[in-house]
Amino acid sequence: MPAQSGSGSLSGLEDPPPDWKTFTTSDGLSFDYPPDWTAKDPGGALGGAFVDVTNASGKRMAELRTNIVTGAECIEQYPYRIFDSHPVQSLVEPGAADHAVPRFVFESRGDDTGPGPTRTTTAAYGITMMPEATGALACPMFHLFLWPPSGALFGGTYDPVKNQTPGPPTLPYLEKAERYATTPEYQQIRTMITSLRPAKLAS
């Protein structure tokens, strides 16, 4: 049976608070982030943006990468859950009507019951251009979206060691992920990632 929780079941998207800072990449993307977090791009010869966003404790909450080659294969399918899902209209490319609207998603693959994560069960949040899965099984997670010259990613893997999660550490990993989706830290991450837009739209 499907291992899917309610899609988009949390509250609507929040606007970034007025005291949040803004980071703009050299290739034209902007996002907002909490004032006590840090966004850094070492630059150099990496090609494209390579931004790490860390919280006040120095734990990485998300990464933004551009100049990534997109492409997905669905060789195997897995049990999945969708904890949260929202469209990101600001990243719709002009003239790209044949592509799905990019959306922010927090989802998982696998159904191990241990405290995890494991090699076969993991959860992650980020922006995807893949249609939302239906049925009992889903293709692997593909958290990439179109951005010139090829593609980009903005997200992170859920890890209860770094992602502050309520409840005992012995809880099953997927239950921890579901609980994490209700936390203030997760709300900050979601607000940050969904604030991503072309820099020309920055106010």
Side-chain angles (χ1 to χ4, degrees), residues 41-111:
D41 184 346
L46 295 173
F50 199 87
V51 185
D52 281 341
V53 184
T54 55
N55 66 11
S57 300
K59 295 179 179 179
R60 188 167 69 183
M61 297 288 99
E63 57 183 335
L64 171 62
R65 307 284 185 263
T66 63
N67 197 26
I68 294 175
V69 177
T70 61
E73 292 187 7
C74 188
I75 299 174
E76 294 185 65
Q77 294 188 315
Y78 307 89
Y80 72 100
R81 294 186 187 182
I82 299 174
F83 305 108
D84 197 9
S85 178
H86 292 275
V88 184
Q89 295 288 346
S90 61
L91 295 176
V92 175
E93 287 195 314
D98 56 330
H99 296 293
V101 173
R103 59 190 175 90
F104 170 84
V105 64
F106 181 24
E107 60 184 341
S108 67
R109 295 294 184 272
D111 56 3

Side-chain angles (χ1 to χ4, degrees), residues 8 36 61 66 72 75 88 97 125 134 138 159 194:
D36 58 343
M61 297 288 99
T66 63
I75 299 174
V88 184
Y125 43 80
T134 59
D159 183 349
T194 57

Side-chain angles (χ1 to χ4, degrees), residues 8-27:
S9 59
L10 301 181
S11 60
L13 297 178
E14 304 84 8
D15 291 330
D19 63 337
W20 279 31
K21 298 181 286 187
T22 299
F23 187 95
T24 300
T25 70
S26 59
D27 50 5

Side-chain angles (χ1 to χ4, degrees), residues 123-137:
Y125 43 80
I127 297 173
T128 182
M129 61 184 185
M130 301 300 289
E132 193 164 294
T134 59
L137 301 173

